[in-house]
């Protein structure tokens, strides 16, 4: 096993590059195409002046990285967090390229981020920062160029501000510039729950594939934000037992199952999951090592590392977050025969419904929630089956299979288009 410091092990760009190189080698990828696909096509850094509520001016640093536009416009979320770094955004942008290719939708990959702490900023400060960030990027984004979406620390409101700012510069309303908008201004029905819904579909598929019943299937979820709460809610509706939920400020455990809608209700007025009467308090870091059938990390990167992977007791690791597992942890989990549903497959429900939103905006014709969900379910089931079939036929694990499938598709298009040099 490689010996890496924790800092090296948890660099998301290195983690992405290591998996990319491994999969590219397995594919026997042409050396030139390898170089083209390994690095992002464009990296933009902006320094955003923002008038703060107390009258002072703060300057925030923001990024937008466009990894590839080979298969269509670049696509990817915008993250507001104190931990944002260029390496993180680069990794997330590349993952978006692979993710869109795994589910076979016509997008490339991008990601954006601003180094800030949204929890400490007022709505007014967030709005001004978002508008100036958008103004700085106005010639680089657009429905045919690069289409942002929400990610950690951003939401429907953020997307509405981006859409409005972009539209003001264009002098016309342009809804298709971002996805994840509120439904009344061009958002898609089902988008809010889409990532969680996709996760529930791949969990169903994994149980079928492994011959395990839904009844008695214990699930632990880390992170109770958009992805975590919707995954927990939809899985509970399907009959799974949500026994544990971990948040940054504490964990909850109930072996009989947590009432997820009641917890959502509790969090909406308490502002935290802590203190919920329907479960006992549990240590948030220990919780992910409790025995369960499915563990869903749905918070952030690098939560399963060489430091804790050997203590995990799940049968299936379904990656709701992007990059939750390091490459060293992958090796440990392989030895423990944990069945991994990799991030670029598991959480692709969000971008798939974003694709539907972009399609609906450009048509100006909106689908019912049932139509959206039915199309999403079909794509997620098919993609799961494609990845496990690829893993079997190439004798690789699910993660490398997903990368190989994706790289193969992007490389094919890149070769077909040719290199404009
Ligand atoms: P979010 O901000 O809505 O929720 C994240 C939650 O995780 C928050 O409640 C936060 O308090 C919690 N959290 C953060 N660090 C934690 C820790 N160490 N332990 C426990 N809880 C922690 O963000 P989200 O949109 O749900 O995204 C979560 C992850 O899913 C990210 O990796 C994101 O890139 C990925 N993702 C999101 C979408 C989407 O549609 N929102 C799609 C694909 C992937």
């Amino acid at each position: 096993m490689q010996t890496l410091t924790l800092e090296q092990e948890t660099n998301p760009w290195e983690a992405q590059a290591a998996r990319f190189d491994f999969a590219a080698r397995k594919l026997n990828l042409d050396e030139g195409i390898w170089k083209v696909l390994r690095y992002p096509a464009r990296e933009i850094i902006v320094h955003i002046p923002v008038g703060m509520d107390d009258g002072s001016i703060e300057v925030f640093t923001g990024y937008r990285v466009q990894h590839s536009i080979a298969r269509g416009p670049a696509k990817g979320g915008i993250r507001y967090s104190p931990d944002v770094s260029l390496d993180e955004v680069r990794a997330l942008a590349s993952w978006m390229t692979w993710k869109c290719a795994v589910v076979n939708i016509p997008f490339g990959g991008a990601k954006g981020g601003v180094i800030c702490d949204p929890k400490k900023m007022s709505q007014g400060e967030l709005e001004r920062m978002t508008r100036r960030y958008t103004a700085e990027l106005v010639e680089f984004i657009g429905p045919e160029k690069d289409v942002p979406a929400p990610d950690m620390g951003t939401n429907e409101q953020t997307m509405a501000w981006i859409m409005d700012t972009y539209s003001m510069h264009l002098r016309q309303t342009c809804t298709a510039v971002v996805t994840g908008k509120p439904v009344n201004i061009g958002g898609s029905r089902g988008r809010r729950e889409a990532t969680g819904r996709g996760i529930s579909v791949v969990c169903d598929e994994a149980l079928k594939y492994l011959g395990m019943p839904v009844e008695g299937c214990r699930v632990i979820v880390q992170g109770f934000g958009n992805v975590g709460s919707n995954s927990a809610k939809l899985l509970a509706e399907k009959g799974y037992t949500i026994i544990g939920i971990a948040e940054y400020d504490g964990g909850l455990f109930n072996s009989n199952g947590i009432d997820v809608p009641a917890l959502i209700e509790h969090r909406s007025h308490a502002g935290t999951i802590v203190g919920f009467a329907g479960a006992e308090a549990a240590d948030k870091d220990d919780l992910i090592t409790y025995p369960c059938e499915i563990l869903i990390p749905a918070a952030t990167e690098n939560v399963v590392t060489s430091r804790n992977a050997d203590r995990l007791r799940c049968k299936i690791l379904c990656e709701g977050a992007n990059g939750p597992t390091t490459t060293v942890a992958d090796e440990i989990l392989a030895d423990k025969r944990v069945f991994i549903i990799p991030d670029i497959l598991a959480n692709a429900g969000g971008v798939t419904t974003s694709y539907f939103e972009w399609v609906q905006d450009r048509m100006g014709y909106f689908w019912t929630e049932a139509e959206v969900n039915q199309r999403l379910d079909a794509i997620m089931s098919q993609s799961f089956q494609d990845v496990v079939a690829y893993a079997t036929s190439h004798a690789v694990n699910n993660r490398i299979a997903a990368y190989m499938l994706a790289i193969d598709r992007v490389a094919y298009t890149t070769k077909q288009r040719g290199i404009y040099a």
Side-chain angles (χ1 to χ4, degrees), residues 39-87:
Y39 299 101
R42 184 186 265 164
E43 303 180 346
I44 304 153
I45 304 179
V46 293
H47 299 288
I48 317 156
V50 179
M52 306 301 279
D53 290 348
D54 65 3
S56 65
I57 292 173
E58 198 55 72
V59 178
F60 295 90
T61 299
Y63 306 101
R64 185 76 187 166
V65 174
Q66 296 166 346
H67 173 259
S68 168
I69 54 166
R71 287 169 47 92
K75 183 89 193 79
I78 293 173
R79 177 173 289 197
Y80 289 171
S81 157
D83 302 325
V84 164
S85 68
L86 186 53
D87 264 359

Side-chain angles (χ1 to χ4, degrees), residues 35 82 112 141 160 191 241 267 275 287:
K35 284 190 235 167
I141 60 172
R191 172 63 184 90
T241 311
R267 211 253 322 255
L287 204 52

Side-chain angles (χ1 to χ4, degrees), residues 79 92 99 111 119 150-153 191 195 222-228 246-248 267 284 298-301 303 320-322 347 350:
R79 177 173 289 197
L92 289 160
K99 193 181 300 185
K111 204 80 180 192
K119 290 195 178 92
D151 191 70
M152 273 167 68
R191 172 63 184 90
T195 309
Q222 182 194 49
F224 202 60
N226 174 292
V227 179
E247 253 296 332
Y248 75 100
R267 211 253 322 255
K284 69 177 170 65
T300 186
E301 289 106 72
V303 291
N322 287 307
N347 68 35

Side-chain angles (χ1 to χ4, degrees), residues 68-393:
S68 168
I69 54 166
R71 287 169 47 92
K75 183 89 193 79
I78 293 173
R79 177 173 289 197
Y80 289 171
S81 157
D83 302 325
V84 164
S85 68
L86 186 53
D87 264 359
E88 180 187 66
V89 180
R90 273 187 189 127
L92 289 160
S94 312
W95 280 325
M96 285 307 297
T97 303
W98 312 136
K99 193 181 300 185
C100 293
V102 166
V103 288
N104 215 357
I105 57 176
F107 283 137
K111 204 80 180 192
V114 179
I115 307 172
C116 66
D117 190 346
K119 290 195 178 92
K120 293 193 180 140
M121 294 169 72
S122 70
Q123 281 297 100
E125 289 168 343
L126 284 170
E127 176 171 354
R128 292 191 289 279
M129 185 182 80
T130 302
R131 287 189 183 277
R132 184 64 189 253
Y133 174 67
T134 309
E136 294 294 333
L137 293 178
V138 88
E139 62 267 64
F140 301 107
I141 60 172
E144 308 297 332
K145 292 182 183 175
D146 178 0
V147 186
D151 191 70
M152 273 167 68
T154 57
N155 53 29
E156 290 180 2
Q157 179 60 72
T158 325
M159 297 306 114
W161 291 328
I162 295 177
M163 189 280 268
D164 183 68
T165 310
Y166 184 81
S167 298
M168 292 298 109
H169 281 259
L170 225 66
R171 301 267 181 254
Q172 63 188 41
T173 293
C174 176
T175 54
V177 63
V178 280
T179 59
K181 298 178 294 293
V183 169
N184 58 310
I185 51 168
S188 176
R189 292 183 180 84
R191 172 63 184 90
R192 195 180 299 158
E193 302 81 14
T195 309
R197 187 176 177 88
I199 285 171
S200 78
V201 173
V202 293
C203 285
D204 288 347
E205 291 292 334
L207 291 196
K208 266 190 259 163
Y209 180 75
L210 298 170
M212 290 162 61
V214 171
E215 206 191 339
C217 182
R218 297 163 300 170
V219 180
I220 295 177
V221 181
Q222 182 194 49
F224 202 60
N226 174 292
V227 179
S229 65
N230 283 304
S231 302
K233 182 167 142 273
L234 291 161
L235 286 167
E237 281 170 13
K238 288 181 170 181
Y240 293 73
T241 311
I242 314 300
I243 58 164
I245 294 186
E247 253 296 332
Y248 75 100
D249 57 351
L252 297 172
F253 178 77
N254 183 340
S255 58
N256 296 319
I258 293 171
D259 180 344
V260 180
L263 178 59
I264 293 173
E265 176 62 27
H266 166 87
R267 211 253 322 255
S268 71
H269 53 78
T272 170
I273 64 164
V274 177
F276 177 61
E280 58 194 69
D283 182 276
K284 69 177 170 65
D285 297 320
D286 284 349
L287 204 52
I288 64 169
T289 67
Y290 283 22
C292 62
E293 276 65 45
I294 305 181
L295 173 66
I296 305 179
T300 186
E301 289 106 72
N302 298 318
V303 291
V304 182
T305 69
S306 56
R307 307 296 194 267
N308 63 2
D310 60 332
R311 287 187 282 123
L312 259 50
R313 283 179 285 171
C314 58
K315 295 196 174 69
I316 298 170
L317 179 72
C318 180
E319 298 183 332
N322 287 307
T325 312
T326 67
T327 38
V328 187
D330 261 349
E331 293 175 33
I332 299 169
L333 297 177
D335 288 345
K336 288 166 68 87
R337 303 197 159 273
V338 174
F339 184 86
I340 298 183
I341 312 176
D343 47 7
I344 56 174
L345 166 65
N347 68 35
V351 74
T352 303
T353 302
S354 275
Y355 163 56
F356 299 155
E357 180 172 334
W358 178 78
V359 169
Q360 293 170 78
D361 284 341
R362 290 157 96 233
M363 287 194 298
Y365 181 75
F366 291 86
W367 308 343
T368 63
E369 187 161 349
E371 282 171 304
V372 171
N373 290 345
Q374 189 197 358
R375 289 179 162 114
L376 174 62
D377 291 2
I379 289 183
M380 292 307 294
S381 299
Q382 185 61 53
S383 304
F384 177 92
Q385 282 156 26
D386 289 349
V387 168
V388 291
Y390 207 99
T392 309
S393 61

